[in-house]
């Protein structure tokens, strides 16, 4: 094992180029083995093993600065920079994150998880270097898929002319985004590949870059040679490198989309170990939308590079034809384009992760909400129960979206309510609507659910009681239900239970009515308390004698957290809330 | 006067091409005359008179769909589409806005004011058309300056390949952003101009567009001929048109940057009628930063295309050299690049308008705050006293920014405090800091101000009193001061006055201490109440017997409002608050 000898980058640089080729095989095996047990970004990590070895062979991190875009391809980088044990020893698997993480190593310059950020970050590093007058190399490694993101395009545009010194942008062209690519830039990349970099039009040259084409990006030797040529270059250059996503693992090479991110799998077959049975909200929504599209020819589904995350398989997409629109990594464009479609009679539905909606704040505010255009936004992974990486957690969208005027933000509490809200939103033409897809397991409604949400901000009193009113929003409604039972058992009387449904407004009538028989109002929300739903209730009652206790999450960037622990810490368990109530001494 | 005969677009189309040339002169005079009295976007409107006439001569709005980017150049469009009176009759000047406004006319498809949105909106209109199978032309008119924005680049990338039918993008190339352009795309535009569209590299062709070059965009005849050629085209095309910003008004042609937006001016000289005397916060900040940069070579100033808005003149910029960084219209890039600079030892300061920070939510959250990088953000025009157009109002940033973890958002109440906060932020290396520049006039501190804000969330008790505590944030601090005096006069006792300084956190110690001698806490903030500062105070006290009354603005898109009226409506006047207090019956 060559890897046994590699403890830091100086060991790597002692190897011969031939040994580097062997090392690539060892690293690839480690990655496949670990990810088969832990899951993770398989394709991107396998495709870039050779390139990463070459980068660290040629450049001298941490003096030279390397930024990996998204950084879901940084496994080899981590193995080479002192963290190989986290890929060898199963006990240590969880010690490193799936992304670059500046807490782990001086070779990781940032905590990164969102796409398309590397070019601007690298421009900043280069700019500070030039102002200081030092001479380090600055290298950004960006996948072709990430290039369509507005932030990357802004950075690409800027770097070609406004960085005067060294800036080395490696475009890792594996001809794939998460799914297939969309956009004109990919047409140009293809022309460049087809002509070995000689095409008449070259977007990188057009933007002011020097340009160098490397056909065999999975060839360590050629990569080393290429990088040696550009090391210490005194101007911005794009190295356009062709690699294969999933390289070296046949199943991943053949199934690039579904192995982009994969759950634990059998190495022999590539198949995931745990096949999901039972209902899942992504499938529920997909099936509903496919039926809806059959009935209404104006409905169209938009995604930004993540069709599979929403369970739209290649087959589904083909069946839907032009009405399934993947814009690639371009969330700003997706929301603005949806606004344009709505203005011309279309009924667009755009879905993405809570944390990716952060890229579209301005489009939601300006294009959608100022114009009151009837677009349906589905906010997925908006929950403490969803992704636990700091860069992808979904607990900030309530404070971000719900304070934008004119937006109707709805929080369904079960399957039937969810679909009724989606259908209402698609059919109406008055409001921009966002719907917070549930994430706490699939629950069924206990009776008929409301079909018409046109009259805004009407809370649903599920149970009329006394003393305590529990207003339990969306995903945390089921905790509210449990709490009701426990209060009954503990105190001998029934509290009131409310499903508020609307995140974006107050039902003054219902809230006023609570003043009669209640001393305490409890709110529960699956998001941070700061700027959230509960604070609006606290404000409403702030000049009355009723007490208000808000339950939700603390404003912080949790990272790879244990859900149970976080729930406990934030008192989001019925038993702990009962203790809190007892402590209040009100009853 | 030809204009007398033009009441709608059908009248325009009856004119001969020669008459259209005369019409352009009449329209240009109207624009100069109105703007000399009202102020507005002079250069962009003058540059596009001929193009707009040609567009409406050739295409058939509203069947054909026309989207003007930013739409600060839509005066001619408004004059031709039934709104000429608002340019002729001084009594009617204010009846139309300076932007496209769908409330005014069916020819205005959207309310637009932010830049770089037209391509995505046009793609959406075209997409809905294609799904429906209709055949209208879709035209987007975008300035060269707007092209560097991420949203525009996403839209440009998408449209070239993923819109299959008609899409006509008119690039209005006047060789200027608000100030000079920055970025590689402008290098390519220059090559294209220099070669009359024949340059080897053509970014539009690279992205999949057909391409047509028009050298004389201020020539009505040539513009009409060009547009007639592309009308009903069956695929996406870019018409690259050269125009002159400020065309036809010598002062504006010569002073393109300062006449981009101009206050009322003398037509004879171009000089503004009201020259400002006294102190202004933009100059105060600029002068401070220039001095700071002299003392500390790591400090750099970043702007996104709006140097003059921050009072950095061409002369100032030249003097600062490489340390004054204008990234062009590219706010996402600006914030991410600042993060990169901070990571490499730089001390970047980035300033822009409150409503433009909406474009950088994700970069502030991910690149800055997750990474805790010491970048200074100056949020200007963040006030009810600032811009009153719906698209540019600055009352949403508190709920947007202050709920992002790790950010320290500060609200100074006077000049000395403002500069002390800016200096502290630049000098420290622990936190991403945003500072809300005051907008309610320049006030001086009454004593020494705090220099060190490192210990977070310490509110300043300016006056210790009883019964009522007034927590008056930032711009509304002076209202709090007045209120204190009026309460004293009315009730005969002194209330407590607090300058909280920190928007992003609660001073639990101070708030606890108020429980002793107070029955009511009043909060005041220059922003919407929803998700804002006051609600956090309401939550803090929600389990106590103290009453809390939050004063601030309602969550709504105000548009071209009267400040006094809005303040009154929201009870933001000391006398009205006194009435409210009396009505409470607490004292």
């Amino acid at each position: 094992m060559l890897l046994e000898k590699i403890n830091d980058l100086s060991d790597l640089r002692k190897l011969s180029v031939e040994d580097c080729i062997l090392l690539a095989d060892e690293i690839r095996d480690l990655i496949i083995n670990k990810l088969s047990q832990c899951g993770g970004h398989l394709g991107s990590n396998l495709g870039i093993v050779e390139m990463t070895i070459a980068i660290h062979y040629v450049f001298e991190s941490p003096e030279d600065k390397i930024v990996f875009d998204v950084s879901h391809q940084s496994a080899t980088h981590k193995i080479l920079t002192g963290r190989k044990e986290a890929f060898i020893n199963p006990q240590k698997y969880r010690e490193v994150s799936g992304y670059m993480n500046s807490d782990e190593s001086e070779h990781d310059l940032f905590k990164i998880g969102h796409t398309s950020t590397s070019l601007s970050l690298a421009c900043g590093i280069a700019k500070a270097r030039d102002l200081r007058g030092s001479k380090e190399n600055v290298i950004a490694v960006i996948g072709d898929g990430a290039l369509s993101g507005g932030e990357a395009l802004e950075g690409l545009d800027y770097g070609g002319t406004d960085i005067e010194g060294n800036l080395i942008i490696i475009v890792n062209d594996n001809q794939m985004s998460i799914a297939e690519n969309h956009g004109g830039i990919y047409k140009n990349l293809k022309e460049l590949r087809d002509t070995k970099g000689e095409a008449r039009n070259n977007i990188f040259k057009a933007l002011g870059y020097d340009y160098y084409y490397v056909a065999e990006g999975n060839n360590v030797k050629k990569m080393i040679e290429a990088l040696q040529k550009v090391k210490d270059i005194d101007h911005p250059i794009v190295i356009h490198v062709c690699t294969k996503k999933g390289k070296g693992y046949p199943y991943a090479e053949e199934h690039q989309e579904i192995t982009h991110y994969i759950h634990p799998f059998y190495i022999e077959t590539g198949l995931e170990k745990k096949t999901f049975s039972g209902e899942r909200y992504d499938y529920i929504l997909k099936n509903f939308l496919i039926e809806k599209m059959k009935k209404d020819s104006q409905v169209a589904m938009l995604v930004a590079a993540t069709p599979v995350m929403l369970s739209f398989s290649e087959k589904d997409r083909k069946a839907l034809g032009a009405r399934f629109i993947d814009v690639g990594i371009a969330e700003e464009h997706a929301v603005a384009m949806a606004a344009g479609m709505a203005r011309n009679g279309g009924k667009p539905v755009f879905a993405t992760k809570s944390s990716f909606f952060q890229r579209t704040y301005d489009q939601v505010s300006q294009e959608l909400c100022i114009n009151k255009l009837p677009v349906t936004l589905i906010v997925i992974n908006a929950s403490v129960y969803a992704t636990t990486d700091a860069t992808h957690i979904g607990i900030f969208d309530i404070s971000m979206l719900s304070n934008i005027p004119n937006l109707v933000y709805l929080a369904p509490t079960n399957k039937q309510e969810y679909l009724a809200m989606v259908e209402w939103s698609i059919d109406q033409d008055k409001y921009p609507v966002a719907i917070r897809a549930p994430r706490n397991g699939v629950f069924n409604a206990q009776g008929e659910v409301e079909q018409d949400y046109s009259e805004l901000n009407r809370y649903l009193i599920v149970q009329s009681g006394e003393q305590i009113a529990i207003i339990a929003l969306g995903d945390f409604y089921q905790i509210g239900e449990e709490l009701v039972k426990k209060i009954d058992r503990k105190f001998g009387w029934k509290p009131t239970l409310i499903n508020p449904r609307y995140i974006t407004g107050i039902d003054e009538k219902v809230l006023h009515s609570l003043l009669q028989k209640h001393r305490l109002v409890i709110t529960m929300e699956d998001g941070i308390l700061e700027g959230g739903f509960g604070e609006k209730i606290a404000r409403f009652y702030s000049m009355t004698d009723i007490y208000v206790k808000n339950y939700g999450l603390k404003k912080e960037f949790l990272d790879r957290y244990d859900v149970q622990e976080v729930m406990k810490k934030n008192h989001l368990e019925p038993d702990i809330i009962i203790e809190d109530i007892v402590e209040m001494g009100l009853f």
Side-chain angles (χ1 to χ4, degrees), chain A:
Chain A
M1 287 279 281
L2 282 162
L3 254 179
E4 278 166 26
K5 292 187 282 181
I6 312 278
N7 291 310
D8 60 32
L9 291 173
S10 64
D11 298 325
L12 171 69
R13 289 180 206 122
K14 287 176 202 149
L15 296 187
S16 67
V17 171
E18 281 62 37
D19 277 347
C20 285
I21 298 171
L22 297 174
L23 181 66
D25 291 337
E26 290 181 18
I27 288 176
R28 183 163 277 119
D29 285 346
L30 275 190
I31 293 173
I32 295 171
N33 190 50
K34 174 174 175 177
L35 267 53
S36 76
Q37 293 171 62
C38 301
H41 286 98
L42 184 62
S44 51
N45 272 309
L46 292 180
I48 202 173
V49 176
E50 290 79 7
M51 186 196 292
T52 311
I53 291 172
I55 287 170
H56 282 305
Y57 197 76
V58 173
F59 296 103
E60 286 158 55
S61 178
E63 285 71 35
D64 290 331
K65 312 292 183 200
I66 305 156
V67 187
F68 289 93
D69 203 272
V70 202
S71 77
H72 61 336
Q73 78 288 52
S74 53
T76 304
H77 164 76
K78 292 196 174 193
I79 290 168
L80 295 176
T81 53
R83 287 166 279 180
K84 65 181 177 186
E85 280 304 313
F87 292 79
I88 294 170
N89 181 348
Q91 263 73 54
K92 302 197 169 181
Y93 277 172
R94 304 282 172 192
E95 284 183 7
V96 303
S97 82
Y99 300 99
M100 270 180 36
N101 188 335
S102 45
D103 292 343
E104 289 174 13
S105 166
E106 63 177 342
H107 300 283
D108 292 12
L109 297 173
F110 303 94
K111 292 183 183 175
I112 296 182
H114 278 196
T115 179
S116 311
T117 70
S118 60
L119 304 187
S120 297
L121 291 171
C123 282
I125 292 171
K127 199 62 142 178
R129 172 203 62 199
D130 293 344
L131 290 177
R132 205 177 49 228
S134 63
K135 289 286 169 205
E136 63 267 27
N137 287 275
V138 179
I139 302 107
V141 180
I142 185 167
D144 52 328
L147 278 178
S148 61
E151 185 178 352
L153 289 166
E154 286 184 358
L156 188 68
D157 178 43
Y158 183 87
T161 47
D162 284 40
I163 297 297
E164 283 167 20
N166 169 293
L167 175 65
I168 298 168
I169 296 176
I170 303 179
V171 172
N172 174 29
D173 184 0
N174 58 28
Q175 308 181 39
M176 280 289 279
S177 181
I178 299 170
E180 66 275 18
N181 280 310
H182 288 271
I185 204 167
Y186 303 105
K187 185 174 162 286
N188 192 232
L189 289 183
K190 182 176 186 316
E191 286 164 1
L192 289 167
R193 289 192 306 269
D194 290 349
T195 59
K196 298 198 190 307
E198 299 296 328
R200 177 178 159 95
N201 277 303
N202 179 320
I203 188 164
F204 306 113
K205 287 188 182 176
L207 291 173
Y209 289 90
D210 196 355
Y211 175 85
Y212 189 85
Y213 180 76
V214 182
E216 296 176 53
N218 291 111
N219 180 322
V220 181
K221 190 156 175 279
K222 297 219 163 148
M223 274 309 300
I224 289 174
E225 285 166 9
L227 296 179
Q228 276 167 339
K229 273 185 200 142
V230 299
K231 189 180 182 184
D232 299 324
I233 199 166
D234 66 354
H235 59 271
I237 185 168
V238 167
I239 321 286
H240 180 184
V241 180
C242 299
T243 64
K244 194 172 188 87
K245 198 167 180 172
K247 175 75 182 179
Y249 180 56
Y251 184 82
E253 288 189 22
E254 276 159 42
H255 302 87
Q256 294 185 326
E257 184 174 343
I258 57 173
T259 57
H260 171 81
Y261 184 94
I262 192 165
H263 295 282
F265 59 96
Y266 299 107
I267 295 181
E268 303 72 33
T269 60
L271 299 177
E272 293 193 358
K273 288 175 178 169
K274 220 167 128 184
T275 52
F276 187 82
S277 63
E279 287 196 300
R280 237 168 64 184
Y281 272 119
D282 51 353
Y283 284 98
I284 290 169
L285 179 71
K286 177 189 77 172
N287 292 332
F288 171 82
L289 288 173
I290 288 176
E291 287 308 307
K292 185 76 185 167
M293 286 196 246
K294 282 182 193 157
K295 285 181 247 162
D296 186 338
S297 65
Q298 299 308 303
V299 182
M301 179 72 200
L302 277 78
V303 303
T306 60
V308 164
M309 193 201 290
L310 297 151
S311 84
F312 282 90
S313 68
E314 224 179 310
K315 201 177 137 200
D316 294 326
R317 277 131 59 189
K318 273 197 185 133
L320 291 170
R323 290 162 68 199
F324 186 90
I325 301 169
D326 181 354
V327 301
I329 289 172
E331 290 87 358
E332 299 168 64
H333 173 69
V335 170
M337 186 162 98
M341 292 177 73
R343 190 67 184 81
N344 204 14
K347 297 180 179 177
V349 178
F350 172 58
T352 194
K353 281 192 184 184
S354 164
S355 86
F356 297 164
F357 270 104
Q358 294 176 187
R359 304 187 151 232
T360 70
Y361 184 103
D362 198 47
Q363 290 72 36
V364 172
S365 168
Q366 300 271 320
E367 282 91 305
L368 291 195
C369 290
I370 288 181
N371 287 288
K372 287 194 196 165
L373 288 165
V375 168
T376 303
L377 305 175
I378 310 281
V379 185
I380 69 165
N381 281 22
S383 172
V384 67
Y385 303 115
T387 328
T388 63
D389 289 286
T391 47
H392 289 68
I393 39 176
I395 60 175
F396 304 118
D397 54 277
I398 291 182
S399 66
M400 178 180 67
L401 292 174
S402 75
N403 300 310
I404 298 175
N406 294 349
L407 186 70
V408 177
Y409 197 11
L410 299 173
T413 62
N414 59 53
K415 174 177 155 183
Q416 288 74 20
E417 199 172 39
Y418 180 32
L419 297 182
M421 286 171 173
V422 174
E423 181 146 43
W424 167 76
S425 174
I426 293 173
D427 289 341
Q428 60 84 38
D429 62 1
K430 281 198 179 59
Y431 310 108
V433 176
I435 297 163
R436 209 165 191 249
R439 262 303 289 242
N440 61 343
V442 177
F443 294 91
N444 283 294
Q446 277 152 3
E448 289 293 299
V449 300
E450 179 81 70
Q451 300 297 316
D452 182 3
Y453 295 86
S454 306
E455 199 187 311
L456 300 183
N457 307 328
R458 287 165 306 114
Y459 294 179
L460 180 69
I461 302 176
V462 181
Q463 169 179 306
S464 255
E466 55 179 331
Q467 301 287 3
I468 300 178
I470 298 152
I471 306 179
L473 184 77
D475 257 356
F476 282 1
Y477 177 76
Q478 280 74 24
I479 304 178
E481 278 188 321
E482 254 192 86
L483 181 60
V484 161
K485 286 182 206 147
K486 296 207 179 215
I487 288 174
D488 193 350
R489 218 171 300 148
K490 176 86 187 172
F491 297 101
W493 35 260
K494 277 186 202 312
T496 294
L497 177 63
I498 291 170
N499 168 9
R501 307 185 296 193
Y502 297 83
I503 311 177
T504 26
I506 289 287
D507 187 334
E508 298 201 4
K509 207 171 135 198
V510 164
L511 293 187
H512 267 299
S513 76
L514 296 181
L515 288 168
Q516 301 273 327
K517 290 196 281 182
H518 301 80
R519 295 194 64 198
L520 173 66
V521 170
I522 286 175
T523 68
M524 320 198 65
E525 67 197 289
D526 187 2
I528 58 167
L529 287 171
E530 284 78 2
F533 173 77
E535 286 186 347
K536 291 170 183 59
I537 308 288
R539 171 157 68 92
F540 179 87
Y541 287 119
S542 65
M543 289 298 297
T544 74
D545 291 327
I546 215 166
Y547 295 112
V548 177
K549 180 75 184 164
N550 298 137
Y551 286 94
L553 296 148
K554 199 182 146 199
K555 177 177 82 168
E556 59 181 332
F557 287 114
L558 296 164
D559 195 16
R560 290 177 293 148
Y561 57 89
D562 178 84
V563 178
Q564 300 299 332
E565 231 167 71
V566 167
M567 294 295 276
K568 204 165 182 171
K569 193 179 84 174
N570 288 289
H571 287 213
L572 288 165
E573 288 180 7
D575 286 330
I576 304 178
I577 298 175
I578 292 283
E579 281 172 37
D580 287 349
I581 295 172
V582 170
E583 224 170 83
M584 290 171 199
L586 293 171
F587 310 103

